[in-house]
Amino acid sequence: MKSMKFITCLLLLGLTNTLIGAKESTLKLDTVYADFNKDFKMYVTPRHDYTKTYVTKLFMCSSGFDGRFKRRDNGSQKLYMNCEQALEIIKGMDEITMGMPKVVYLVGWQYLGHDSKYPAFFEGNEAIKRPQDSNALESLKWLMAEAKKYNTSVSVHINMIDAYEDSPLWDKYVANNVIARTETGALRGGEWGYPISYAQEWKLGFIQERIDKLCEILPIQEAGTIHIDAYHSAVPNPIKKENGEWGIEMQSPISPFLDFTQEDEIKAQRNIIKYFDSKGIDVTTEGVPQGKLLGIFDGYQTMGWWFKGEDLYLKYTANQICGGCDHYSDWGKLFGTNLNAEQIFMKGHGSDTFAEFKMKFCTMTLIFNYLNRFDRLYRVEGENYKAVQFSNGVHTELFNGRFILRKGKTILVEDNDVCIPAQWLGENKNLILYSEKGYKKRTWKLPDSFPEEGSVTLYEVTENGKKRIGVKKISNQKITIGLKANEMLLVEFKKQ
C-alpha cells in the first residue's frame, strides 16, 4: 500500500473540481494497484459473458416448514408467481433493459418450492404451472422457450449440499453414507436440512445421476447456465451462543465419519462444475469463497452473487469473475455491481415494482455493464473519499457521499442522475438518460461518438416499451434537457 499526497492523486485521476478546497497539507490518500494473477487459467468454457449480461433470480414459491431448522416440508407453500406471471416480468424487464442479454434463475420451481425435498430435483412445483399444461415441467419448458424471444436465458436455482427427510432420495443417501455423519456415526444436521458429502456422492456416481436426470427433464443445456445455492465447502452448523441467540459456525470436514478431507470435498465440487461444463452448462454460485478458501473455484466460475470485498476487485478481472449484491458497500458502487431483482418482484408484478426495478437497473446494472468494459487499474482511499481508476480515462469517486462516474472530464453519472452510453445497442450512438428525483434543466456533455451539432430522437422507456416523445437539438456536443422523477429516456442519434 502506497501513501500519496492529495494533489498528486488529483492529477493521476484527472479530477477537476471535485476536491478543490480540501486541505492539501493534511489529507493523504492510500493507493492500491491491481495485482491480477498472471497465471490465472480457465478450466471451463463460459457460455455467457456475465460482465455484459443482466443476471437475476425470480422467486416463484417457498415451501413451509415447522420449527427453527428445516428438516422436512409441512405441506404448506407461499406462491409469489407462476410461469405465466414470470414471463410477463421477463417481458417488462426486457423492455426496460432494451434487449440487454439476460439470465434469469427460477427459485422454488420444484416440489413445494424453495428448499423442498433436496437432494431430489426431478419434479416441478404444480403451483406454478399454467392451466393448459398437464404438469409444471411442461410449463417450465414453455417459459424457458418463450423467454428466448425477450433476450433471456431462463434456468433454475438448485442446491447440491442439503438433504431433507422427506426427499425421494433420503433412504438411498442415508444407506450409502452420502448424508454427513459425526465421528460416532450419527446424522449431522446443518442450518438447513442435513449436509451431503460431495466427495462420497461423486465417488458413488450419484451426483452424475442427479445432473443427468435434471438435464433430461428440463432443457438446461439450451440455457447454458445453472445456479447453485449455498455451495459451501464446509457445514454451516447452528450454534447456540451464551446469550441464547443462535449463530452459524462453518465446520469441516463435512462428514467426519468418512475419510474425506476438506480438500477432497473441494475437489469433488470442482468435478461437479466440470461435469456441468462437459454438458455445455456454466455454474454460477450464491457467493465467492472468502478467507482461507478464497480462490478455490478460480477458473471454474465466472459469476457469483455476494461478490464483495474490495480486494476481490483488484485480484480478479471482470472477465475472470464478476458478480452482484455488493450495493451495500462503497466499493461495490465504485467498481460496479449487478442488481438482483428477486426481492423486488416478490412484492408483486405491477407498475410500482417495475418502477423500482427501473430505478435500480439504471443506477446499478447500467453502471456495472459500462465499467466492466474497462480494465481496473487502482483504487484510492482517504478521509470521506474513495475512487477507482479504470483504463481509457474512466474513473469513479465518492466524496462526502457524492457519487461521480466520469470518462475524462465528461460526467456520465452524478449520484442517481445518469447519462451513460448504451453500448449493447450497437454503434455507440445510443445513451440512457435517467434521474431518480428529476430536474427541470440540465446540460450533459455527450460521448465523443456523438457529433458536435445535429439532433437526437428521444424515447421514454417503461416496462410497456419505448415511446417516441420528440427530437432534441444538440450543440457543441451537448444536450440540455429536463427529466421527471424516475424517468428513463433512450437518446438515439442516426445519420440523416
Side-chain angles (χ1 to χ4, degrees):
M1 185 170 287
K2 185 183 295 184
S3 183
M4 304 178 67
K5 284 200 173 183
F6 167 73
I7 192 66
T8 305
C9 190
L10 258 181
L11 293 172
L12 281 172
L13 288 172
L15 305 182
T16 53
N17 299 316
T18 304
L19 298 177
I20 297 300
K23 297 179 180 179
E24 297 178 18
S25 59
T26 59
L27 179 59
K28 291 187 177 182
L29 303 176
D30 290 326
T31 301
V32 179
Y33 292 87
D35 187 20
F36 303 128
N37 181 2
K38 296 179 181 178
D39 298 321
F40 188 95
K41 180 180 178 181
M42 290 299 298
Y43 299 98
V44 296
T45 304
R47 280 80 191 175
H48 296 270
D49 182 355
Y50 297 93
T51 68
K52 300 176 185 66
T53 299
Y54 173 55
V55 183
T56 190
K57 294 182 279 185
L58 287 181
F59 201 114
M60 305 191 79
C61 188
S62 180
S63 61
F65 61 96
D66 299 319
R68 177 177 237 353
F69 304 110
K70 183 175 182 181
R71 297 294 179 254
R72 59 170 56 242
D73 294 337
N74 65 11
S76 66
Q77 58 183 166
K78 183 173 182 179
L79 181 68
Y80 294 96
M81 67 185 71
N82 57 34
C83 286
E84 289 177 314
Q85 291 167 328
L87 184 64
E88 291 305 308
I89 290 171
I90 288 169
K91 288 179 182 179
M93 290 196 300
D94 192 53
E95 295 290 0
I96 290 173
T97 64
M98 290 174 296
M100 181 183 288
K102 288 173 288 300
V103 168
V104 170
Y105 300 114
L106 304 177
V107 182
W109 61 274
Q110 83 288 1
Y111 299 102
L112 288 179
H114 178 48
D115 282 336
S116 178
K117 294 181 170 49
Y118 288 129
F121 35 58
F122 312 131
E123 293 181 16
N125 180 350
E126 293 303 295
I128 68 171
K129 84 176 191 72
R130 300 189 305 159
Q132 61 267 46
D133 293 330
S134 60
N135 57 57
L137 290 179
E138 280 192 18
S139 296
L140 286 164
K141 292 175 185 177
W142 167 84
L143 174 58
M144 295 171 81
E146 288 295 307
K148 293 177 184 177
K149 300 175 183 177
Y150 306 100
N151 306 290
T152 304
S153 298
V154 169
S155 188
V156 294
H157 168 286
I158 62 172
N159 183 298
M160 303 296 288
I161 193 172
D162 292 341
Y164 296 97
E165 296 168 353
D166 55 350
S167 172
L169 293 177
W170 177 258
D171 291 341
K172 176 183 178 180
Y173 274 49
V174 169
N176 286 276
N177 291 325
V178 177
I179 311 296
R181 295 179 183 271
T182 65
E183 293 90 342
T184 61
L187 293 180
R188 183 179 193 178
E191 180 185 14
W192 296 99
Y194 300 80
I196 286 172
S197 167
Y198 306 107
Q200 179 75 342
E201 192 183 12
W202 179 265
K203 174 184 174 182
L204 297 174
F206 292 175
I207 281 182
Q208 297 90 319
E209 291 176 6
R210 278 209 280 167
I211 295 171
D212 289 347
K213 189 167 182 179
L214 179 62
C215 290
E216 287 175 9
I217 65 172
L218 288 173
I220 307 298
Q221 288 158 294
E222 291 183 26
T225 187
I226 198 165
H227 184 79
I228 301 181
D229 182 36
Y231 204 44
H232 304 305
S233 302
V235 175
N237 192 49
I239 300 292
K240 196 166 187 178
K241 302 176 183 179
E242 292 183 1
N243 61 7
E245 296 180 357
W246 285 89
I248 298 297
E249 183 177 271
M250 301 303 291
Q251 298 178 348
S252 63
I254 291 175
S255 185
F257 185 73
L258 303 174
D259 294 329
F260 297 118
T261 64
Q262 186 176 41
E263 181 55 40
D264 293 327
E265 299 290 355
I266 291 171
K267 182 178 179 180
Q269 288 180 276
R270 294 180 185 136
N271 285 334
I272 292 169
I273 296 175
K274 288 195 290 185
Y275 193 73
F276 274 113
D277 179 62
S278 72
K279 292 178 173 291
I281 302 168
D282 301 343
V283 168
T284 68
T285 63
E286 181 182 8
V288 177
Q290 304 278 331
K292 69 176 183 177
L293 296 180
L294 179 65
I296 64 172
F297 297 138
D298 282 7
Y300 289 88
Q301 63 172 129
T302 53
M303 186 268 173
W305 288 115
W306 301 113
F307 184 93
K308 56 185 178 178
E310 58 192 81
D311 294 337
L312 286 181
Y313 295 104
L314 295 179
K315 179 179 174 61
Y316 301 101
T317 68
N319 285 322
Q320 288 171 347
I321 184 168
C322 65
C325 290
D326 196 15
H327 47 282
Y328 301 110
S329 81
D330 290 345
W331 294 114
K333 181 77 171 177
L334 291 164
F335 282 99
T337 186
N338 209 1
L339 162 69
N340 179 10
E342 180 179 22
Q343 293 187 347
I344 294 176
F345 291 108
M346 287 174 73
K347 302 173 188 176
H349 324 130
S351 58
D352 289 345
T353 47
F354 275 113
E356 182 180 353
F357 172 80
K358 179 173 62 175
M359 184 272 289
K360 291 184 175 179
F361 172 77
C362 289
T363 57
M364 291 173 61
T365 299
L366 275 182
I367 297 171
F368 172 86
N369 186 285
Y370 180 78
L371 292 178
N372 283 340
R373 299 167 190 271
F374 304 97
D375 297 331
R376 301 162 181 169
L377 302 181
Y378 55 86
R379 68 166 179 84
V380 180
E381 184 173 10
E383 185 178 356
N384 298 320
Y385 178 76
K386 293 178 181 176
V388 176
Q389 183 69 23
F390 299 83
S391 60
N392 291 58
V394 173
H395 61 264
T396 55
E397 60 187 79
L398 270 168
F399 182 54
N400 286 333
R402 177 180 177 236
F403 175 76
I404 295 285
L405 163 60
R406 302 174 186 260
K407 188 175 190 300
K409 295 182 180 180
T410 302
I411 293 178
L412 304 178
V413 180
E414 182 174 13
D415 291 329
N416 285 345
D417 291 337
V418 174
C419 178
I420 201 165
Q423 291 172 293
W424 71 95
L425 295 179
E427 295 186 10
N428 213 22
K429 295 290 193 302
N430 302 277
L431 58 85
I432 304 301
L433 283 171
Y434 172 81
S435 178
E436 180 184 11
K437 296 181 179 179
Y439 47 79
K440 291 183 179 179
K441 185 178 181 181
R442 177 161 185 166
T443 298
W444 293 93
K445 170 73 166 63
L446 300 178
D448 292 340
S449 56
F450 280 73
E452 289 284 336
E453 308 290 334
S455 61
V456 292
T457 305
L458 304 179
Y459 300 87
E460 183 181 11
V461 180
T462 71
E463 70 273 19
N464 298 314
K466 65 179 186 179
K467 177 183 177 183
R468 188 178 186 276
I469 59 174
V471 175
K472 194 80 173 176
K473 292 289 185 182
I474 55 177
S475 178
N476 296 321
Q477 211 169 46
K478 295 177 181 178
I479 185 171
T480 300
I481 197 168
L483 290 183
K484 300 187 292 287
N486 202 29
E487 185 174 23
M488 176 183 181
L489 299 183
L490 170 65
V491 180
E492 181 182 72
F493 171 76
K494 290 184 179 180
K495 292 182 179 179
Q496 301 301 316

